[in-house]
Amino acid sequence: MSGTHLIETVINGLISGSIYALIGSGLALIYGTTRVLNFAHGELLMLAGYFILLFAVTLGWPLILAAAATIVLIMVLGALLQRVTIAPLMKREDWAFSVIAATIGLSIFLQSGAQLIWGEQYQGVPYFFHGVAVIGEVRMPWQRIAILVVALLVMGICGLILYRTKLGRIVRATAQDAEAALAVGIPAGRVHTIVFAISAGLAGTGAILLSPLITVNPWMGVSYLLKGFAVVILGGLGSFGGAVAAGFLLGLIESVSVAFVPSEWSNVIAFAFLIAVITARPEGLFAGRGA
Amino acid sequence: MSNLTVRSLLAAGIFGAGLLAGAATAQDFNVTIGAVGPLTGPAANTGKDHRQGLELAVKEWNEGKGDYVTKNPPKVTFMMEDTSGKPEVAISAAQRLITRDKINMLIGDTLHSHVTLALMELAPQYNLPILSAEPVSSAIADKVKADPDRYQLYWKGNWNSDGYGTAVHDFYTWAFANGTVDPGDKKIAFVVEDTDYGIANAEKIGDLFKADGWTVAATETVPPATTDFYPQLSKLRDAGPDVIVSVFTVPNSGVAFVRQMKEQALEGSHLAIYYPTKPEFMDQAADIAEGMYWAALTFSSELNPEHKAFSDKVEAEYGNPGTYSTAHAYCTMEIALRAIDAAGSTDPKAIAEKLSETDYDCVVGRAKFGEDHAVQSGPDFIPVPVAQIQDGKNQIIWPENVATAKPQ
Amino acid sequence: MLEVFGRHPFRAILIWALLLVVVPFLPLDDYVLHILTLFLIFAVFATGWNLTLGILGLKTLGHHAFFAIGAYASALVSHYFGVSPWLTIWLGAIIAAIAGIVIGFPILRIRSMPHVAIVTLAFAEIVRLVLSNLKEITRGELGFWGIPPFDPITIGGTTVQFGLGNAFGSFAVAAVMFVGVHLLLLMLLKSRSGLTFLAIRDGEAAAESLGVKLAAWKLFAFGVSAAIVGLSGAVYAHYVLILTPTSVAGPDMLISLLAMIIVGGVGRFFGPIYGALLLTVSSELLRDFGDYRMLLYGALIVVFVFIAPTGLAGLKPTSWRKRQEAASKPAEAT
């Protein structure tokens, strides 16, 4: 393995890792505050992909405007998803499984729905950033570098909100004890909705960054969902910071395994690593504070 | 029916002979043909092209515009069912066509080799002639060769995947000889999708090159519809192959692969298989794919007036241009209809007999079956030309007798 | 108890058995028998999964892996070593059971439902990828063909053939498996061990305090469940005679089976049977609307979770049952 190959392997790992971190940290945020596993999270990513396609390509809006519209729209959808499907189920005794089952159903419903509406073609989105950065032997297009930078920026903002603002304190308080939070006047229901919206926004950001690279299609969320869940578990269920770290770790594991074994085994290695971690450390690698 | 089961014997005893649906050979000679193909799922676009091609052939046949063998051609009823690209669904669909609709012949699968491998078992089981359309896997032909008697009613309407392998190998031998491509250290690498199609091609080409003293530097298999090839490309750049062959059936994988190869400034000659046949690929990647070789330019409205005429005919009927898949399905149906016409009955053995004698010039080439029941490929039959993208347009550069331009 | 099994479970199985004996004598064509055969195989699959999902209360999402393991194990052994499928299906079930116990270990270490769900899902994904990557042995997505059908049986001068296209024989095998598995499972669940299963579901702490060795029981249940699913996979393999990793261990299989169990009734003994029947038949009726099939599955799951969480099996009991449930509720609460 040459030096260039090593550097590229690390950069590639960090880039795919930043997407896993975006998806996983959103899932972790939801899990941390509501103990819900949202199996329809991948479809939020998919829908955001179609939105950016609509705004940026079909309607030809400027990138910033198209991205903002996509994120706002997907956050509203995320909130709606929580209000309409998840909140009513939370009142049940067996809500944990009901929510899993309902969101799995919803996920399939949205996939087939998207296929009926937009067709099964894979639709390309042009690069938002052009050109290739060349540093010595290493070549990296700006579009890919942008993924890493924007993802870090967005997750950084989320981290600041969570740990440095009043809203963040409220969210974390609800995560620790919803009933106690309610007792001191925090409306847990509304906090849950807000958390879903933020998590949808993270997935939407991922979709905007990814669309030019992976093309928009009804199934684009599927492979990221399982990776996202793996990140949540590796990071320690419900830990935002842990999920971000685990996302990058998973990306690196994958890219390093492609460098040494044929590509088709990289996911086997990633998931085997997940099961091994759970067996050895059920609380996750970076378990710490909740939310 | 060869498989008189206990059930039907008992049924006959209880409900009387009326239940035994016999082979109703009507006087006016009607035939019912069924087809199965992927009308839903990721390959649905291709499946819908197949349906148009098959239906168009049947429509023309029934309207007196067919290419008949006899003066008394049969009237044709046609129906197509969905497989979703899954073998078990295809089996259900075919069973419904066979037992409910009493089809006399099955066209299937129209696209997938793995589905065809399952479907061909129905030929001996139900004494039914089966003709597959686009599937290419050599495994199908190997199965026929292993037990020709069992699969005497099964025929494969497309060439074997080795056809690509041979063409790619022969093209490069030619290109090395005349100095178009530099063989360098004689290292070849593959990036292919994880389907029978991708893998069979990589194996065949790899074997042919190895026989010439080449080494296979890497064979990277990625799930269908992958669009991030950076890890694979980094690895390839490290291995430094002189020839890179990529195989994808989803055009966007191809667009992404070609773009990322350019970004990574990979050296070495690149040859693409299949995906450049898709119009979506040329729409999105004509500029970035400049100079790329690809196989096989089997259908081109721009270069071939016959193809243009066919494409226009499809457009007039369905409002969308014809593709290779439409044309291939059309020809497959034509071959089936002519065999039934020549047989003069719906007798399965007679139809198979006439299929074996097929020698028919259709829009995609000359169809003639080989010993292994597969349509033959090569300059005399269905050609497998290698093209190059020059100035944003496709040009055939090999074989020389059909070339429209010199390689650049 | 009553809730899980219905009022007369053994009588219900007897009725199913009688119905299945009558079916071959009806004037049905091969196609209908084919659909019924698939229904029987999937019903056994769903029942096996329901054992952990509903009756034991372990929310696993990876049972399609055991289906694939059973199917491939039996197919590979019978193909490469020429062993009769009549023997290899049991091998498939045993190997699936071993896989179940192996994956059961990490699951038992954790009580959290999300962990269990995700670990089992990841396990299924590993199984699918490994089957698809071991191309030398399984031919990967190209499909593993050359699976022998069950050897013919001669009874009193009549030879019964099996495999695709031999509708009667295949139906008979599936029907025997269906009745056998349900009968044995019902006997198991109605015995002392069965009461343990239900105790575990209704309250782990309570069960533990009663001296139930939780870990061992769960492992046992997991093994039984995986074995049943593996057996159904093996019978499926020798019926359709071709396997691809995606068709047996892909996400569609997970969704279809989950839909069957939820529609039929999670945790009801007979629920999955109703679910399998309804969905197998309706997906065939809706074949012409293939695009809408997964849409329907998704919608059915959502609708049943919201409106009828106890599934079809839970729909029948009317007012009098409700009152009884209400009376027994406080005891169940944890």
Side-chain angles (χ1 to χ4, degrees):
Chain A
M1 198 185 205
S2 70
T4 318
H5 189 195
L6 179 70
I7 295 168
E8 281 179 355
T9 300
V10 172
I11 298 177
N12 287 331
L14 291 177
I15 290 172
S16 25
S18 62
I19 298 290
Y20 297 154
L22 273 177
I23 317 264
S25 59
L27 286 166
L29 200 56
I30 293 180
Y31 186 81
T33 40
T34 65
R35 306 286 140 187
V36 159
L37 278 189
N38 177 18
F39 275 79
H41 197 68
E43 279 54 53
L44 291 173
L45 176 98
M46 179 267 289
L47 288 173
Y50 278 103
F51 293 155
I52 193 75
L53 181 74
L54 172 72
F55 295 136
V57 181
T58 315
L59 300 179
W61 291 2
L63 176 60
I64 297 291
L65 186 65
T70 300
I71 289 179
V72 169
L73 204 56
I74 205 68
M75 286 177 83
V76 171
L77 270 183
L80 205 66
L81 171 83
Q82 193 272 339
R83 281 276 114 185
V84 176
T85 61
I86 292 165
L89 292 177
M90 297 297 284
K91 299 190 183 84
R92 291 203 189 148
E93 226 177 297
D94 63 337
W95 61 269
F97 181 68
S98 296
V99 169
I100 290 179
T103 50
I104 288 179
L106 190 65
S107 148
I108 289 302
F109 183 81
L110 290 174
Q111 276 174 40
S112 333
Q115 191 196 340
L116 290 172
I117 296 171
W118 291 295
E120 51 282 302
Q121 305 91 324
Y122 291 73
Q123 310 199 36
V125 174
Y127 275 22
F128 299 128
F129 305 95
H130 299 278
V132 177
V134 183
I135 305 162
E137 289 277 296
V138 180
R139 300 171 60 90
M140 212 31 79
W142 289 109
Q143 175 73 35
R144 297 178 71 83
I145 296 171
I147 292 184
L148 187 57
V149 174
V150 176
L152 280 175
L153 205 68
V154 170
M155 288 184 294
I157 295 171
C158 275
L160 278 181
I161 294 176
L162 273 181
Y163 294 107
R164 293 280 177 276
T165 65
K166 186 162 174 244
L167 176 68
R169 274 200 301 281
I170 292 175
V171 168
R172 283 183 294 137
T174 321
Q176 267 158 19
D177 194 334
E179 277 173 34
L182 196 60
V184 296
I186 298 172
R190 199 174 306 160
V191 173
H192 290 177
T193 311
I194 291 171
V195 165
F196 260 82
I198 295 176
S199 139
L202 287 167
T205 311
I208 295 169
L209 295 171
L210 270 177
S211 294
L213 292 180
I214 71 166
T215 71
V216 178
N217 63 75
W219 306 278
M220 68 190 279
V222 178
S223 62
Y224 287 97
L225 181 76
L226 195 50
K227 294 280 168 60
F229 281 146
V231 164
V232 175
I233 286 200
L234 290 176
L237 275 167
S239 153
F240 184 84
V244 172
F248 284 109
L249 180 68
L250 194 65
L252 282 173
I253 289 175
E254 261 184 50
S255 102
V256 170
S257 50
V258 171
F260 290 104
V261 298
S263 311
E264 65 267 31
W265 290 98
S266 69
N267 277 340
V268 176
I269 293 172
F271 291 131
F273 176 74
L274 168 73
I275 293 183
V277 167
I278 287 181
T279 314
R281 268 179 74 92
E283 69 279 15
L285 290 176
F286 311 102
R289 309 174 272 183
Chain B
M1 286 180 81
S2 65
N3 60 325
L4 264 184
T5 58
V6 177
R7 182 192 56 78
S8 46
L9 281 173
L10 292 168
I14 294 165
F15 297 98
L19 283 170
L20 280 176
T25 40
Q27 310 294 319
D28 51 350
F29 191 21
N30 290 313
V31 293
T32 308
I33 298 180
V36 292
L39 297 174
T40 61
N45 276 344
T46 311
K48 283 167 188 161
D49 279 353
H50 288 142
R51 179 156 67 187
Q52 290 181 355
L54 296 168
E55 279 178 355
L56 186 63
V58 169
K59 185 165 179 272
E60 289 182 358
W61 186 273
N62 283 340
E63 286 174 355
K65 292 186 280 189
D67 200 352
Y68 310 109
V69 181
T70 67
K71 292 224 167 56
N72 186 25
K75 274 275 171 211
V76 183
T77 314
F78 171 70
M79 58 207 67
M80 182 160 176
E81 296 249 4
D82 175 34
T83 64
S84 314
K86 292 177 200 148
E88 74 281 11
V89 181
I91 295 287
S92 294
Q95 290 212 329
R96 183 153 97 159
L97 287 168
I98 295 165
T99 58
R100 278 284 156 90
D101 303 308
K102 310 269 183 275
I103 54 170
N104 305 107
M105 182 167 180
L106 179 72
I107 311 268
D109 186 61
T110 63
L111 180 67
H112 293 299
S113 296
H114 64 277
V115 176
T116 306
L117 284 165
L119 279 175
M120 60 196 289
E121 295 298 331
L122 297 177
Q125 208 74 262
Y126 284 101
N127 192 28
L128 178 80
I130 298 181
L131 175 64
S132 59
E134 242 191 293
V136 290
S137 173
S138 301
I140 301 171
D142 292 345
K143 209 171 158 184
V144 173
K145 272 190 284 188
D147 195 348
D149 204 44
R150 179 172 168 80
Y151 300 108
Q152 53 178 311
L153 296 181
Y154 168 78
W155 298 81
K156 178 163 175 260
N158 207 353
W159 74 64
N160 290 329
S161 40
D162 341 22
Y164 271 123
T166 316
V168 169
H169 172 258
D170 292 355
F171 159 71
Y172 269 114
T173 310
W174 172 82
F176 297 144
N178 66 18
T180 311
V181 179
D182 177 17
D185 306 329
K186 296 196 167 185
K187 281 195 283 188
I188 187 167
F190 300 93
V191 180
V192 301
E193 68 175 23
D194 193 3
T195 58
D196 49 338
Y197 189 71
I199 295 157
N201 273 309
E203 276 176 4
K204 178 73 185 175
I205 299 170
D207 287 347
L208 290 170
F209 272 76
K210 271 192 265 183
D212 290 353
W214 283 59
T215 45
V216 175
T219 304
E220 297 298 311
T221 316
V222 297
T226 297
T227 44
D228 179 10
F229 296 98
Y230 264 73
Q232 288 79 20
L233 287 171
S234 288
K235 195 172 174 180
L236 285 197
R237 209 147 72 114
D238 214 37
D242 303 285
V243 171
I244 300 165
V245 176
S246 62
V247 188
F248 308 110
T249 54
V250 178
N252 280 91
S253 289
V255 175
F257 185 75
V258 171
R259 177 181 291 139
Q260 291 165 21
M261 252 186 97
K262 197 178 159 81
E263 287 164 1
Q264 286 284 289
L266 242 71
E267 285 158 17
S269 167
H270 175 215
L271 186 137
I273 290 182
Y274 191 79
Y275 56 88
T277 56
K278 294 284 171 190
E280 300 99 297
F281 176 81
M282 287 305 284
D283 290 348
Q284 292 181 49
D287 53 334
I288 46 174
E290 183 67 24
M292 179 180 89
Y293 302 119
W294 67 274
L297 184 54
T298 42
F299 189 85
S300 166
S301 308
E302 287 165 18
L303 298 177
N304 187 324
E306 237 187 294
H307 295 174
K308 172 96 177 83
F310 177 80
S311 177
D312 290 347
K313 192 161 72 175
V314 174
E315 181 130 30
E317 184 75 29
Y318 300 103
N320 55 274
T323 63
Y324 173 71
S325 294
T326 331
H328 190 278
Y330 177 87
C331 290
T332 306
M333 181 56 91
E334 203 74 4
I335 292 167
L337 292 173
R338 287 173 56 86
I340 298 170
D341 189 7
S345 78
T346 55
D347 176 55
K349 281 229 165 58
I351 293 175
E353 174 76 28
K354 292 297 169 191
L355 272 175
S356 74
E357 292 166 11
T358 298
D359 187 348
Y360 180 60
D361 251 317
C362 190
V363 64
V364 293
R366 177 176 161 216
K368 194 171 186 333
F369 291 99
E371 290 273 291
D372 54 5
H373 291 201
V375 160
Q376 290 167 279
S377 63
D380 299 332
F381 303 101
I382 297 184
V384 187
V386 174
Q388 186 179 30
I389 299 177
Q390 299 179 352
D391 301 322
K393 291 224 177 325
N394 283 314
Q395 299 290 353
I396 296 175
I397 53 165
W398 184 89
E400 278 174 293
N401 61 344
V402 290
T404 55
K406 289 247 168 274
Q408 288 173 357
Chain C
M1 281 297 293
L2 208 57
E3 207 182 279
V4 171
F5 298 109
R7 288 173 70 192
H8 304 287
F10 285 103
R11 202 183 294 171
I13 288 186
L14 186 68
I15 293 171
W16 272 107
L18 289 175
L19 280 175
L20 292 176
V21 169
V22 171
V23 163
F25 295 94
L26 301 174
L28 300 172
D29 58 33
D30 283 9
Y31 170 70
V32 175
L33 278 186
H34 164 73
I35 302 304
L36 291 177
T37 306
L38 285 182
F39 146 64
L40 293 171
I41 292 172
F42 285 129
V44 172
F45 182 170
T47 293
W49 189 4
N50 191 37
L51 183 61
T52 58
L53 192 70
I55 295 178
L56 196 67
L58 265 180
K59 306 304 183 197
T60 58
L61 291 179
H63 267 58
H64 46 314
F66 303 128
F67 188 77
I69 290 172
Y72 268 96
S74 180
L76 290 168
V77 172
S78 61
H79 175 85
Y80 285 114
F81 302 105
V83 183
S84 163
W86 292 116
L87 300 175
T88 58
I89 52 168
W90 305 110
L91 191 69
I94 290 168
I95 293 175
I98 293 171
I101 290 169
V102 168
I103 194 64
F105 275 112
I107 288 175
L108 291 182
R109 286 178 53 92
I110 23 175
R111 297 203 170 175
S112 110
M113 186 188 298
H115 274 95
V116 173
I118 292 168
V119 169
T120 49
L121 207 53
F123 170 71
E125 191 62 7
I126 291 178
V127 168
R128 184 184 69 80
L129 288 167
V130 167
L131 288 174
S132 143
N133 291 347
L134 292 177
K135 295 185 181 70
E136 316 270 283
I137 303 167
T138 64
R139 297 189 188 99
E141 285 299 331
L142 181 63
F144 185 67
W145 49 265
I147 304 170
F150 291 106
D151 308 314
I153 296 180
T154 307
I155 312 164
T158 329
T159 305
V160 184
Q161 303 268 356
F162 302 93
L164 263 186
N166 297 299
F168 170 75
S170 307
F171 175 80
V173 171
V176 168
M177 171 179 73
F178 173 89
V179 174
V181 163
H182 283 98
L183 190 62
L184 289 175
L185 192 60
L186 187 60
M187 282 159 64
L188 176 74
L189 288 176
K190 283 274 188 177
S191 69
R192 270 187 65 88
S193 5
L195 299 178
T196 316
F197 284 141
L198 297 173
I200 291 173
R201 179 184 67 164
D202 290 340
E204 294 203 354
E208 203 145 27
S209 69
L210 287 171
V212 175
K213 283 191 192 117
L214 260 182
W217 275 112
K218 280 190 181 173
L219 266 189
F220 174 65
F222 219 82
V224 171
S225 165
I228 293 173
V229 173
L231 180 69
S232 68
V235 170
Y236 176 83
H238 294 289
Y239 175 54
V240 299
L241 307 181
I242 179 148
L243 297 172
T244 61
T246 309
S247 67
V248 288
D252 278 12
M253 191 58 110
L254 164 72
I255 301 296
S256 308
L257 266 292
L258 193 64
M260 286 174 193
I261 296 176
I262 287 175
V263 166
V266 185
R268 306 287 175 135
F269 186 79
F270 291 100
I273 302 178
Y274 304 137
L277 182 62
L278 182 79
L279 289 183
T280 313
V281 171
S282 66
S283 79
E284 283 300 321
L285 294 177
L286 290 170
R287 178 177 285 293
D288 295 335
F289 307 94
D291 276 324
Y292 297 90
R293 201 173 72 106
M294 288 322 266
L295 192 77
L296 172 85
Y297 278 23
L300 274 179
I301 293 179
V302 176
V303 166
F304 270 86
V305 166
F306 272 92
I307 295 170
T310 49
L312 292 175
L315 284 181
K316 275 182 293 178
T318 41
S319 51
W320 71 271
R321 170 72 55 83
K322 282 239 173 71
R323 247 173 277 134
Q324 277 209 335
E325 267 175 39
S328 67
K329 208 94 206 178
E332 273 180 34
T334 47

